[in-house]
Amino acid sequence: AQSVAQPEDQVNVAEGNPLTVKCTYSVSGNPYLFWYVQYPNRGLQFLLKYITGDNLVKGSYGFEAEFNKSQTSFHLKKPSALVSDSALYFCAVREMGQNFVFGPGTRLSVLP
Amino acid sequence: DAGVIQSPRHEVTEMGQEVTLRCKPISGHDYLFWYRQTMMRGLELLIYFNNNVPIDDSGMPEDRFSAKMPNASFSTLKIQPSEPRDSAVYFCASSQDRTYGYTFGSGTRLTVV
């Protein structure tokens, strides 16, 4: 069975500092990995995905994520956080032929 | 494209009443998903359709919940009768196929009092 974990409920960073939101997964085959962001009173918005190829994936709004197969991780990163990045972030994983499984979400607060 | 459109944005209803949530997926997307989001349980997949046919409804909490997709451009999620524990944000999402990411609507915030 596929599963995804986001070990931190909340991440606080100062504006201008680098940020990392962690995600680990478990699948039996090759994973498709996604990050979504949810702003208040909005639906989830796609940020980036890893399907195959380069382990470092770049996405919207300056975010990137690195696929690490040995550690079964797909952490989301940004070199310099903005206050406007404050939101709820979801990691999602799926295998071929399966639906997505979403993580519980990590609330990111960027402090001015 | 206007994206996935859900209506209403907010719904407040009394316990026992019927509630109908609506979704218009992106044109050309063959998959449609209904999710429920709560603080306690996070995002839960309720049901999904492929080419208007329900494929997996194992996430539907109980018989009070039903979903239909009469055509490629419209789906409904109905709760009858509604209960306070149904209060949540309900999202609809669509996708070209399951390899792609999903496009989510803005959700319907349901409050049952």
Side-chain angles (χ1 to χ4, degrees), chain A residues 32 34 36 38 41-44 49 51 88 90 94 97-100 102, chain B residues 9 33 35 37 43 45 48 56 91 98-102 104-106 109:
Chain A
Y32 299 154
F34 288 69
Y36 286 84
Q38 185 181 26
N41 300 313
R42 303 291 297 275
L44 278 69
K49 67 179 178 182
I51 304 297
L88 189 56
F90 291 93
R94 65 173 294 267
Q98 302 293 319
N99 288 323
F100 276 106
F102 286 86
Chain B
R9 288 298 306 274
F33 305 83
Y35 281 87
Q37 185 180 36
L43 270 170
L45 177 63
Y48 81 95
D56 183 356
F91 288 104
R98 292 192 294 173
T99 302
Y100 288 81
Y102 302 167
F104 282 80
S106 297
R109 182 173 296 277

Side-chain angles (χ1 to χ4, degrees), chain A residues 44-106:
Chain A
L44 278 69
Q45 297 178 31
F46 169 79
L47 270 181
L48 51 80
K49 67 179 178 182
Y50 171 83
I51 304 297
T52 186
D54 194 346
N55 290 345
L56 183 63
V57 179
K58 294 187 183 298
S60 307
Y61 312 121
F63 284 93
E64 59 187 29
E66 186 165 14
F67 170 59
N68 187 318
K69 188 172 183 178
S70 63
Q71 297 186 1
T72 61
S73 67
F74 190 58
H75 301 331
L76 182 69
K77 300 182 179 184
K78 186 173 182 180
S80 178
L82 300 172
V83 172
S84 57
D85 292 330
S86 299
L88 189 56
Y89 290 80
F90 291 93
C91 182
V93 65
R94 65 173 294 267
E95 298 179 75
M96 179 73 75
Q98 302 293 319
N99 288 323
F100 276 106
V101 172
F102 286 86
T106 297

Side-chain angles (χ1 to χ4, degrees), chain B residues 21-87:
Chain B
L21 312 182
R22 297 172 176 80
C23 175
K24 175 179 169 56
I26 291 174
S27 177
H29 282 192
D30 293 333
Y31 287 84
L32 183 140
F33 305 83
W34 281 101
Y35 281 87
R36 179 171 68 176
Q37 185 180 36
T38 61
M39 289 290 292
M40 292 297 295
R41 301 171 71 92
L43 270 170
E44 302 173 274
L45 177 63
L46 300 177
I47 185 171
Y48 81 95
F49 296 82
N50 179 213
N51 292 324
N52 313 337
V53 176
I55 303 300
D56 183 356
D57 66 355
S58 60
M60 297 285 260
E62 48 196 275
D63 292 345
R64 298 184 295 107
F65 286 68
S66 62
K68 294 181 179 180
M69 192 165 185
N71 57 62
S73 59
F74 184 64
S75 178
T76 60
L77 177 67
K78 185 179 294 186
I79 308 173
Q80 163 71 16
S82 58
E83 297 183 3
R85 60 194 169 114
D86 301 330
S87 298

